[in-house]
Amino acid sequence: TVFNSLNHDMTLTEFKFIWYMEYSHRMWGRVVGLAYILPAAYFWHRGWLSRPLKGCVLALCGLVCFQGLLGWYMVKSGLEEKPDSYDIPRVSQYRLAAHLGSALVLYSASLWTGLSLLLPRHKLPETHQLRRLRQFAHGTTALIFLTALSGAFVAGLDAGLVYNSFPKMGERWIPDDLLAFSPVLRNIFENPTTVQFDHRILGIASVTAVTALYLFSRKIPLPRRTRMAVTSLLAVACVQ
């Protein structure tokens, strides 16, 4: 049905390109799963894992399997017939956001576990400024995570195609159709204009928070490794 109504002029070569991209993504995901599970089973069998580390390994392997299931669940939504829609078929933006969010959690947890094993933890005096810096860093992390999830909604709704001017959206700072859907809460997740607007605001807020975190960290005596991490975060935020 989709081919007859939208893609009747697609050639076999063009279809193969799409097919191989999807196939490569699935195969790469399976390779990642094996790269987790096989070494974990080997290290477990040799008795090289401590009790706390066994819990981390089980959680990470569980996340890998959960990520694969989420990917299947997401793709399934793009294959379902929608008789009330004649638009380009796409996966559910909710499932796309869940799939991306799960991947970010998996990646972050893997990186955190690996660095905890490779690098000794700094023993710093627990000052008021250091506690504030840690809280600020956690809040910035949550904001960046939320910004990334909002990007999944932009992709899922093709919201990037609605307005392509910056900093204004068209001729206005706040577009007229920002709250066009009813009830109002539905706009946040299903209105392409609102989704793009939110992503812009969250992106600006994330860069601002990272910059403020960097400036605040300059006032505190920190180890060289920590200072490098904060500086790298600012550099990556600017590049992004």
Side-chain angles (χ1 to χ4, degrees):
T1 305
V2 172
F3 178 79
N4 290 331
S5 61
L6 292 171
N7 301 315
H8 55 272
D9 57 344
M10 178 180 283
T11 64
L12 182 60
T13 302
E14 290 172 333
F15 174 77
K16 283 182 177 180
F17 176 76
I18 296 172
W19 189 90
Y20 277 119
M21 283 193 61
E22 174 65 19
Y23 181 76
S24 300
H25 181 68
R26 292 185 181 205
M27 290 301 106
W28 185 253
R30 289 166 185 168
V31 168
V32 170
L34 291 175
Y36 265 87
I37 295 169
L38 293 181
Y42 177 75
F43 295 150
W44 193 299
H45 177 70
R46 295 299 298 268
W48 293 348
L49 302 179
S50 64
R51 189 180 181 88
L53 194 54
K54 284 181 178 179
C56 289
V57 167
L58 283 176
L60 288 172
C61 289
L63 267 174
V64 169
C65 297
F66 179 68
Q67 176 70 2
L69 285 173
L70 262 183
W72 165 80
Y73 186 59
M74 178 192 71
V75 171
K76 184 175 179 289
S77 68
L79 302 175
E80 295 169 353
E81 289 288 343
K82 301 176 180 66
D84 58 336
S85 174
Y86 300 96
D87 199 357
I88 298 171
R90 58 170 60 89
V91 299
S92 164
Q93 69 270 27
Y94 297 101
R95 300 185 193 184
L96 178 61
H99 190 50
L100 175 63
S102 174
L104 289 173
V105 170
L106 174 61
Y107 180 81
S108 301
S110 302
L111 185 63
W112 184 277
T113 303
L115 291 178
S116 299
L117 294 171
L118 292 171
L119 301 173
R121 183 170 183 172
H122 288 298
K123 294 182 179 179
L124 301 174
E126 193 67 18
T127 63
H128 175 67
Q129 279 188 317
L130 191 61
R131 281 196 301 272
R132 283 187 61 195
L133 180 67
R134 189 179 291 115
Q135 292 169 353
F136 198 173
H138 289 163
T140 303
T141 302
L143 182 59
I144 293 170
F145 182 74
L146 188 62
T147 304
L149 286 190
S150 73
F153 281 89
V154 172
L157 291 170
D158 283 340
L161 304 176
V162 181
Y163 291 97
N164 56 12
S165 56
F166 187 86
K168 290 185 177 181
M169 298 179 73
E171 298 298 321
R172 302 177 65 87
W173 289 101
I174 299 177
D176 294 329
D177 53 342
L178 189 67
L179 300 175
F181 291 11
S182 183
V184 175
L185 188 62
R186 187 177 157 218
N187 289 278
I188 298 174
F189 305 106
E190 298 182 12
N191 184 340
T193 298
T194 313
V195 166
Q196 190 193 130
F197 180 81
D198 291 344
H199 188 58
R200 290 177 179 221
I201 298 301
L202 286 167
I204 294 168
S206 292
V207 174
T208 304
V210 169
T211 304
L213 179 69
Y214 170 79
L215 295 175
F216 182 61
S217 72
R218 302 294 295 176
K219 301 177 181 178
I220 307 172
L222 294 171
R224 180 173 176 271
R225 197 172 74 206
T226 308
R227 202 167 290 287
M228 281 179 60
V230 178
T231 305
S232 299
L233 177 64
L234 178 64
V236 172
C238 293
V239 171
Q240 176 69 3

